[in-house]
């Protein structure tokens, strides 16, 4: 296996057979066609409504997202953005397992393509298989950047496999990897580099590897230039950027307690900040925490729970305004009840809160008696 194994929630073959028979697959595919044409949150809302009562929801969402992401060069990033939004939306409910299904599909496709290219022993790099590999790792890279997948292990495993790290011997394999593997590794690094390089322990070994193999004589000049450009970006830009995630924020007696973590999920620091300040205070405190108080070349970016990114240009924004939005994002989990007629009752709707138990349960009885519990359509009524 190239990637770490994740726990899957069901057998995909069974899920897809079931989905073909009841139309679930077609409904999700229709929603995926809206990616790139509508706002991510709008598509996320529609998917949540359609999958509320759907059996095998996690497997179907994973399959639909995967198919869309690798279908065209334009879709890896918007599909990763949607995966991140869905992960936040589902939280710990059953459909949140779609990430496991999605990564298993990525693993299988990765192994298939690498095997086919290895068996063919092709030295050409302009093939459909290489193009598919580039789309696949670009999608996985964007999932890391948008925090749909957490931790550094998946990116590290991909780079180790593509650049031929011999785990048992703790060293690089003698001689360069194949040219297509290097091109795919470069595509992955272009996607995650700004967020991964310089703040992930041991990431510099990949720079050393690229420098070691950049002048391989039989490679295309295009490949050599691609590696040289990546090395230059690495040394001139990525070493001077830091990306941190604002994980939690609480307010007590005019003092904010703010927890920051790395993109990999490791806790960075906890800051106590007075209300009424600007973001510049946060940036300066983080600089001090990471030992770069005087290094003004280092650019700091902060990722909010909503995946919005704040940079040095936002330093004059109100701290209270930003952190209140974080609290809203963390506490916006709307508990919902689903009736057999697929009507969704929400705790955030006054009309639903004041419904009488008899009124709701009578509707359940009627729906069960008339068979409505079998009719799940994209037009599921939502009270929210």
């Amino acid at each position: 296996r190239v990637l770490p194994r994740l726990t899957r929630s069901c057998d995909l073959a069974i899920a897809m057979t079931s989905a073909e028979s009841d139309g679930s697959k077609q409904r999700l595919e229709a929603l995926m066609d809206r990616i790139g044409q509508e706002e991510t949150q709008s598509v996320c809302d529609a998917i949540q409504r359609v999958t509320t009562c759907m059996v095998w929801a996690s497997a179907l969402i994973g399959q639909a997202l995967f198919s869309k992401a690798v279908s065209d060069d334009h879709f890896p990033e918007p599909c990763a953005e949607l995966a991140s939004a869905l992960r936040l939306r589902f939280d710990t409910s059953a459909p949140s397992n779609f990430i496991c299904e999605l990564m298993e599909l990525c693993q299988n496709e990765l192994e298939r393509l690498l095997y086919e290219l290895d068996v063919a022993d092709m030295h050409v790099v302009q093939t459909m298989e290489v193009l598919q590999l580039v789309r696949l790792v670009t999608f996985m890279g964007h999932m890391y950047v948008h925090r749909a997948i957490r931790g550094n292990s998946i990116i590290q495993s991909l780079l180790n496999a593509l650049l031929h790290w011999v785990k048992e011997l703790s060293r690089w394999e003698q001689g360069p990897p194949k040219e297509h593997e290097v091109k795919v590794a470069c595509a992955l690094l272009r996607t995650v580099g700004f967020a991964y390089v310089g703040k992930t322990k041991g990431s510099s070994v990949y720079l050393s590897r690229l420098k070691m193999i950049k002048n391989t004589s039989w490679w295309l000049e295009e490949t050599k230039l691609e590696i040289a450009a990546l090395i230059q970006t690495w040394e001139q830009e990525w070493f001077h950027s830091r990306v941190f995630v604002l994980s939690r924020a609480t307010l007590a007696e005019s003092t904010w307690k703010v927890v920051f973590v790395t993109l990999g999920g490791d806790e960075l620091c906890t800051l106590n900040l007075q209300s009424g300040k600007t973001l510049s205070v946060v940036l300066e405190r983080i600089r001090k925490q990471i030992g770069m108080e005087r290094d003004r070349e280092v650019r700091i970016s902060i990722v909010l729970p909503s995946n919005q990114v704040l940079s040095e240009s936002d330093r004059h924004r109100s701290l209270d305004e930003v952190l209140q939005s974080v609290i809203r994002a963390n506490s916006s989990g709307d508990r919902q009840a689903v009736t057999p007629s697929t009507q969704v009752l929400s705790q955030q709707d006054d009309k639903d809160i004041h419904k009488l138990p008899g009124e709701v349960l009578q509707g359940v009885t009627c729906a069960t008696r008339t068979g409505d519990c079998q009719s799940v359509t994209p037009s599921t009524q939502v009270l929210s």
Side-chain angles (χ1 to χ4, degrees):
R1 287 182 66 86
V2 175
L3 305 178
R5 186 176 294 279
L6 299 172
T7 304
R8 303 183 68 197
S9 60
C10 67
D11 186 298
L12 184 61
I14 296 174
M16 295 310 294
T17 302
S18 172
E20 289 282 4
S21 63
D22 69 7
S24 305
K25 180 172 179 285
Q26 291 79 1
R27 289 200 295 277
L28 268 177
E29 286 175 348
L31 290 176
M32 293 299 161
D33 288 338
R34 291 157 62 175
I35 294 175
Q37 301 175 18
E38 298 181 20
E39 292 289 333
T40 299
Q41 290 304 324
S42 173
V43 181
C44 191
D45 291 340
I47 290 174
Q48 187 175 21
R49 287 196 295 271
V50 169
T51 57
T52 298
C53 290
M54 192 180 285
V55 182
W56 314 115
S58 59
L60 298 179
I61 293 171
Q63 175 67 61
L65 264 174
F66 172 80
S67 299
K68 190 67 175 179
V70 299
S71 66
D72 188 90
D73 293 344
H74 297 96
F75 292 126
E77 183 169 14
C79 284
E81 203 173 321
L82 178 59
S84 179
L86 285 169
R87 177 168 184 159
L88 286 172
R89 185 70 62 88
F90 288 133
D91 192 22
T92 57
S93 58
S96 65
N97 292 328
F98 81 91
I99 291 291
C100 298
E101 310 298 338
L102 188 54
M103 295 313 297
E104 186 70 15
L105 288 165
C106 290
Q107 163 74 32
N108 294 340
E109 183 70 356
L110 186 70
E111 289 183 347
R112 182 186 72 80
L113 291 169
L114 286 173
Y115 176 77
E116 286 184 5
L117 287 165
D118 191 51
V119 169
D121 196 27
M122 290 186 290
H123 295 288
V124 293
V125 294
Q126 302 298 336
T127 66
M128 182 55 70
E129 288 82 4
V130 175
L131 177 62
Q132 285 292 95
L133 263 176
V134 168
R135 286 177 186 165
L136 180 60
V137 300
T138 301
F139 173 52
M140 296 168 73
H142 281 301
M143 289 225 293
Y144 170 80
V145 171
H146 288 282
R147 304 189 72 233
I149 54 177
R150 312 287 170 85
N152 301 316
S153 60
I154 287 177
I155 302 302
Q156 185 179 352
S157 298
L158 281 170
L159 291 171
N160 287 349
L162 292 168
L163 297 178
H164 293 200
W165 175 258
V166 185
K167 186 177 180 181
E168 294 77 13
L169 302 177
S170 296
R171 64 170 175 80
W172 293 111
E173 191 176 279
Q174 290 295 323
K178 293 185 178 179
E179 189 173 359
H180 67 265
E181 292 173 319
V182 176
K183 285 186 74 70
V184 174
C186 286
L188 176 62
L189 283 166
R190 279 196 302 271
T191 305
V192 304
F194 78 97
Y196 184 77
V197 169
K199 44 273 182 193
T200 303
K201 188 177 180 181
S203 63
S204 58
V205 298
Y206 303 117
L207 175 62
S208 302
R209 179 62 164 168
L210 290 175
K211 287 181 174 180
M212 191 189 306
I213 60 178
K214 67 177 181 179
N215 292 320
T216 302
S217 59
W218 59 86
W219 285 353
L220 294 175
E221 192 64 28
E222 176 190 336
T223 304
K224 296 177 185 177
L225 290 173
E226 191 173 350
I227 297 171
L230 187 69
I231 291 172
Q232 184 177 14
T233 302
W234 194 312
E235 294 181 326
Q236 294 182 5
E237 296 182 23
W238 294 342
F239 273 153
H240 300 293
S241 71
R242 297 290 184 273
V243 181
F244 303 115
V245 178
L246 200 164
S247 175
R248 297 187 306 279
T250 54
L251 178 63
E253 297 181 356
S254 300
T255 300
W256 288 101
K257 183 178 180 180
V258 189
V259 179
F260 289 92
V261 298
T262 64
L263 267 177
D266 301 321
E267 187 159 328
L268 173 72
C269 63
T270 299
L271 303 180
N272 292 309
L273 304 161
Q274 285 297 312
S275 177
K277 304 291 185 180
T278 63
L279 277 176
S280 60
V281 176
V282 178
L283 295 172
E284 293 306 316
R285 291 281 297 276
I286 291 177
R287 282 183 187 280
K288 186 175 181 179
Q289 188 75 28
I290 62 177
M292 296 186 173
E293 194 174 3
R294 297 179 181 176
D295 189 352
R296 295 296 153 180
E297 288 188 1
V298 174
R299 296 177 297 278
I300 294 176
S301 298
I302 298 173
V303 183
L304 302 182
S306 62
N307 282 324
Q308 180 188 0
V309 179
L310 304 177
S311 64
E312 298 275 357
S313 61
D314 296 300
R315 62 188 304 110
H316 299 300
R317 284 186 60 179
S318 162
L319 177 66
D320 295 337
E321 172 200 340
V322 171
L323 296 184
Q324 287 291 357
S325 70
V326 171
I327 289 179
R328 285 195 296 272
N330 287 339
S331 63
S332 61
D334 178 17
R335 297 183 183 277
Q336 297 176 332
V338 184
T339 71
S341 63
T342 71
Q343 182 185 26
V344 181
L345 308 179
S346 162
Q347 69 174 3
Q348 293 186 357
D349 192 305
D350 289 340
K351 297 191 298 296
D352 294 345
I353 288 290
H354 295 103
K355 279 182 181 286
L356 296 173
E359 179 186 352
V360 175
L361 297 178
Q362 183 63 37
V364 172
T365 304
C366 293
T368 306
R369 188 180 298 138
T370 58
D372 285 347
C373 54
Q374 300 303 315
S375 57
V376 182
T377 70
S379 59
T380 300
Q381 184 184 5
V382 179
L383 307 179
S384 178

